[in-house]
Amino acid sequence: MEYDFREIESRWQKFWAENRTFKVDKETDRKKYYVLDMFPYPSGAGLHVGHPLGYIASDIFSRYKRLRGYNVLHPMGYDSFGLPAEQYAIQTGQHPALTTEQNIARYRQQMDQLGFCFDWNREVRTSEPAYYRWTQWIFLELFNSWYNPRTNRAESIDSLIEIFSNEGLNLNASDILTGDIEKELKTFSATEWNAFTEVQKREVLMYFRLAYLGEAYVNWCPALGTVLANDEVINGVSERGGHPVERKLLKQWSMRITAYAQRLLDGLDTLDWTDSIKESQRNWIGRSEGASLRFPIQDREGSVEVFTTRPDTIFGVAFVTLAPEHELVNSLTTDEQRAEVEAYVNTAKNRSERERMADVNTISGVFTGSYVSHPFTGQPVPIWVGDYVLVGYGTGAVMAVPAHDERDYKFAKHFGLPIKQVIEPTREFDLQKDAWTDKEGVLINSEILNGLEVKKAIPKAIEAIEEHGFGKKRINYRLRDAVFGRQRYWGEPIPIYYKEGVPYALSADELPLTLPEVDKYLPTEDGEPPLARASNWKYQGVYDYEHSTMPGWAGSSWYFLRYMDPQNTGTFASNADTAYWNQVDLYIGGAEHATGHLLYARFWTKVLFDLGHIPFQEPFQKMINQGMILGKSSFVYRINGSNSFVTFSKKEEYQTTPIHADISLVDNGKLDIDGFRKWRSEFAESEFICEEDGSYLCGTEVEKMSKSKYNVQTPDELVEKFGADTLRMYEMFLGPLEQSKPWDTKGINGVHNFLRKLWRLFHDQEGQIVVENGEAPKEALKTLHKTIKKMQDDLERFSFNTGVSNFMICVNELSEQKCHNHLILKELVIMLSPYAPHISEELWVKLGYESGTVGKQHFPAFNESFLVESSFAYPVSFNGKMRFKAELSLDLNADEVQKAILSREDTQKWLEGNAPKKVIVVPGKIVNIVM
RNA sequence: GCGGAUGUGGUGAAAUUGGUAGACACGCUAGACUUAGGAUCUAGUGCCGAGAGGUGUGCGGGUUCGAGUCCCUCCAUCCGCACCA
């Protein structure tokens, strides 16, 4: 009987499902381990071979940890709200819930056929009301909280109300964060607060809530008809679809993630993540230390506030530049300059983000006609407007020091503005050509700062600025608050209603606020989001609900918590469960979520921690980012202006255009010409110029695996051909998990043959069991224990590819030894069960054990005594070059080894009569003779 | 420009602490067997060379008895971020 993987695999998958083999429960007397995969968005295309890569790794690790005695939580679910289902709904009129349901069914079937040990009793779907009820509940928690800088944590908004009714708001005390430093809020006394109307109070509180409705410049994407978060905009276009994005001032729900900037930064040091992801997050948060500084406006009240990281260069200020959108631009423009300024501001405002980024080298700007006074010297400093200053960063205004800042330098040169040097460069340098931007040198022309090194001048300058009351030390973050509303249908409704234009939150017991039915999934005629179409969808039948929905990242920011206690209807997860399961011990997923999901999930976790709902403040302790599996695309070459295709080797003789050919039509580079003709009607009549042997050879290129490139390989056909165990091991065998690699099925036979070879250790040619009882042979014990050692070492360092090789080496050796010993094979099957669970279950039963129990065994114990050797083949090197080997007893000490080696004929031959200068002997390792 | 990662046979790769470079697998070559199976078995396979031997981990240098591994310089590819004050 041959290895019949189809029969074996379907039988065991059924067994696992029927016996709920992978159901886990909290067991407080056992140590827990939480292994999490990034849950998928169930797209219509199904899974391709790249998707399960991480799932296979996490599955192997989960099963391994179980063999090590841990109680392992390994759940799976679906991030099932999202744009593609909605776009499809717009096109077809089909409800997104329906297509989502169908897609999930397909994903489930694809995952099941791979034999994963997920506990499906814990499945979550973000689009289910039973789930998003708690997403909405967390939103309410955020809405009803503020960040208290005195305690440095989130607190109930009640504690802020208490502060206001006792102390009022005194912004000069500088201990109250609004999160948006550029927003001015009028101060008030406790008495004034208490006299405020409900509406006034709510308006003030809105500046502090962690989830708030605020006016801000947002990324508006007209094509998608919605706003986007910063991480959803890549190079000025939308991440999904690549549509242009504009900056627009809009009222939007936002999350005050900026309040957590410092803690999000500090927390990174405690995490076992790759440097590249940590760096991305640090970069995204973008902390910079400096000072905020006010320049009084000449001839009128008020001042221009700037942020600078180089307060030491204060005496080199030549002008001040405002962003075109800066609120003071209009009032600072003199009548003579008005026409010019307005024209400039209009052009700058109307340029899309993409255009603005596309030409960063064009210098443009305009003088407002007004001046500020230099805070120290009182000299007039002209105020300019320039689009190199961004309204969203710092204060939207800079003090320009052309001599020591690249952009200021270029701006000054372009407009002929003065360049005043205040730092003496530390090496030969021509200030006529460039700005000296190094943070070193000695200050000159700077009154009180003269003679100081830059590093000393910075604190001294800040000290002086604070002393004179011109400004203060400030830490600035690039991180912006995250826009939270989407003008879309297929997302969580935001649990807010409006009374007299003022937003009110639903109470927790009114949740879930379920998604209403609409006639169309499009905006209304007057531009309202789709939810505005829902008839009679009003709070208490009277008040309008919020019509925007939550963004994709809402549901995924806390799903790892729901898995801990997925059916709980009284809370998002019980305290007992969050305390037991705690942080995710191992998180496996793509690196593309570095600044989105991974930052938002950390933020929400910190808020829930602050509010006392969970006992930890980082969600994912260790993370591994699996590399992308790239597709190998095939190309045919169409001769331009014809319907003829020329084979790869002759394509240089013609002017051709490469066209993707479906990889299923290509075998080993050769095109199935008939199949290609039938594939698309436009090719039905095509002519082919072939190789000499009559075949048509395709070109190949490694690209991202994608439907549009016709290079997608689904796991289904490979499972059908080789079985899940083979595919699981092959995906691991491809190389290190973290590395990107092209997909190529060439080597899959090797892995499949390994499993057949393993099968033959148990069976003879007739399919009869040949397992022998009795004592294990010494040689086999050595092979086994060598493998045990390597397997556990490799698994502990997540080296799954070398793990597969270890099994191959082990089975090769046992085959050579003709070992069919029960004791050896039993341990081997246990070790293999994480990698190839189906065949392991099958062989386990064949060894006479109970069905379904192989995963509940203990990982074999390593016994070093089986590996002890009496002799060693010393590699003998001359000047570091290995020349021959000499078998010597391991009992010999270094001197004895040296003597034995030097007396050998081989040695004399290589010495060519010379005396060795030096002999290095590392017992049990190497001998090196220096000549 | 800044940051991160990666460079090893025809291919995917291994080498965990500085100690035999290329394990394991694919592919290829030659042979055996056969109930013709994407089977199995044997031998070979980094490059140059008939061979002795030489040479070899992106380039160049350094430390060391000994470097794929440590240090310096440079190059290439990929991925983030980027008028960030």
Side-chain angles (χ1 to χ4, degrees), chain A residues 436-721:
Chain A
W436 171 260
T437 58
D438 293 16
K439 271 193 172 177
E440 50 182 30
V442 172
L443 273 286
I444 53 170
N445 305 326
S446 293
E447 301 184 8
I448 49 166
L449 302 175
N450 280 336
L452 290 171
E453 251 295 316
V454 167
K455 286 189 182 63
K456 297 230 166 78
I458 292 174
K460 171 85 181 173
I462 293 174
E463 197 180 296
I465 288 163
E466 290 186 338
E467 213 168 275
H468 291 88
F470 300 149
K472 57 180 186 251
K473 181 178 174 156
R474 205 177 82 188
I475 292 156
N476 194 47
Y477 299 93
R478 194 189 78 107
L479 183 71
R480 300 290 84 204
D481 279 346
V483 178
F484 196 70
R486 297 289 181 274
Q487 290 62 47
R488 285 295 194 147
Y489 176 75
W490 192 229
E492 302 87 346
I494 295 177
I496 290 286
Y497 64 92
Y498 292 87
K499 194 155 91 183
E500 289 154 34
V502 179
Y504 287 83
L506 267 62
S507 66
D509 54 24
E510 290 168 318
L511 300 179
L513 173 61
T514 51
L515 206 48
E517 293 301 319
V518 291
D519 58 342
K520 270 194 270 186
Y521 305 100
L522 288 168
T524 63
E525 277 63 43
D526 32 332
E528 279 277 292
L531 289 192
R533 292 177 174 275
S535 50
N536 298 320
W537 191 58
K538 288 186 189 300
Y539 181 69
Q540 294 176 343
V542 183
Y543 305 108
D544 273 347
Y545 282 120
E546 168 64 45
H547 287 152
S548 54
T549 51
M550 297 189 198
W553 54 268
S556 60
S557 292
W558 72 283
Y559 75 112
F560 59 96
L561 295 169
R562 189 61 178 170
Y563 284 137
M564 298 176 184
D565 190 11
Q567 267 98 44
N568 200 322
T569 52
T571 174
F572 66 98
S574 76
N575 286 338
D577 280 282
T578 54
Y580 176 71
W581 293 112
N582 214 272
Q583 282 173 297
V584 172
D585 296 285
L586 177 65
Y587 196 27
I588 296 187
E592 67 273 19
H593 300 105
T595 50
H597 162 61
L598 291 170
L599 202 57
Y600 297 131
R602 293 183 62 217
F603 163 46
W604 279 30
T605 302
K606 286 183 192 300
V607 174
L608 290 172
F609 169 82
D610 284 356
L611 298 177
H613 297 305
I614 52 174
F616 51 89
Q617 56 170 324
E618 283 292 345
F620 317 120
Q621 186 50 43
K622 176 171 177 66
M623 180 166 56
I624 297 180
N625 305 112
Q626 89 262 23
M628 228 195 317
I629 288 204
L630 303 165
K632 214 169 161 189
S633 308
S634 287
F635 289 93
V636 291
Y637 301 91
R638 180 157 67 191
I639 299 170
N640 291 352
S642 79
N643 195 11
S644 297
F645 293 86
V646 59
T647 189
F648 183 74
S649 65
K650 297 183 183 168
K651 75 179 166 73
E652 300 310 325
E653 299 163 28
Y654 304 86
Q655 292 273 316
T656 60
T657 308
I659 293 171
H660 281 97
D662 196 304
I663 52 162
S664 65
L665 299 170
V666 181
D667 187 22
N668 235 328
K670 287 183 187 162
L671 181 72
D672 167 6
I673 294 176
D674 285 342
F676 184 75
R677 284 201 172 110
K678 281 179 206 140
W679 178 42
R680 288 201 291 184
S681 57
E682 56 187 295
F683 301 139
E685 306 295 322
S686 295
E687 295 296 320
F688 295 86
I689 300 170
C690 297
E691 301 289 324
E692 306 312 324
D693 66 357
S695 64
Y696 184 97
L697 283 184
C698 297
T700 57
E701 205 171 300
V702 171
E703 303 178 287
K704 204 172 159 175
M705 203 174 268
S706 120
K707 232 177 159 181
S708 64
K709 297 187 167 74
Y710 301 106
N711 61 359
V712 173
Q713 174 97 53
T714 67
D716 310 54
E717 41 191 302
L718 292 163
V719 167
E720 170 59 24
K721 252 178 167 169

Side-chain angles (χ1 to χ4, degrees), chain A residues 30-34 70-72 580-585:
Chain A
R30 264 214 298 168
K31 271 179 87 178
K32 68 91 192 186
Y33 198 89
Y34 188 176
Y70 288 86
N71 189 26
V72 177
Y580 176 71
W581 293 112
N582 214 272
Q583 282 173 297
V584 172
D585 296 285

Side-chain angles (χ1 to χ4, degrees), chain A residues 138-269:
Chain A
I138 294 170
F139 174 88
L140 294 182
E141 288 291 299
L142 285 150
F143 179 80
N144 291 317
S145 305
W146 71 298
Y147 197 88
N148 185 344
R150 295 179 188 173
T151 56
N152 207 20
R153 63 186 187 89
E155 288 178 7
S156 160
I157 199 86
D158 295 340
S159 74
L160 180 64
I161 294 171
E162 202 181 311
I163 290 172
F164 284 162
S165 46
N166 291 330
E167 306 171 20
L169 171 66
N170 178 6
L171 276 180
N172 290 333
S174 84
D175 65 353
I176 289 184
L177 267 185
T178 64
D180 268 338
I181 42 167
E182 54 269 41
K183 285 238 162 62
E184 289 293 329
L185 191 56
K186 283 204 190 90
T187 59
F188 49 80
S189 68
T191 329
E192 282 172 308
W193 168 263
N194 293 322
F196 281 169
T197 63
E198 165 85 15
V199 171
Q200 283 173 309
K201 283 181 179 172
R202 285 196 159 250
E203 265 171 25
V204 172
L205 291 177
M206 197 56 100
Y207 283 93
F208 297 86
R209 298 180 187 276
L210 292 182
Y212 66 97
L213 183 63
E215 197 168 67
Y217 280 95
V218 297
N219 307 300
W220 172 255
C221 179
L224 293 174
T226 189
V227 298
L228 298 171
N230 287 341
D231 69 280
E232 294 169 313
V233 182
I234 313 269
N235 295 331
V237 298
S238 66
E239 184 194 17
R240 259 185 207 282
H243 306 294
V245 171
E246 302 165 1
R247 287 196 83 74
K248 211 171 167 182
L249 194 64
L250 282 178
K251 249 193 160 177
Q252 282 296 322
W253 284 96
S254 295
M255 289 283 166
R256 207 175 300 282
I257 190 172
T258 49
Y260 280 84
Q262 190 59 48
R263 281 171 63 191
L264 288 168
L265 209 49
D266 294 341
L268 288 173
D269 297 331

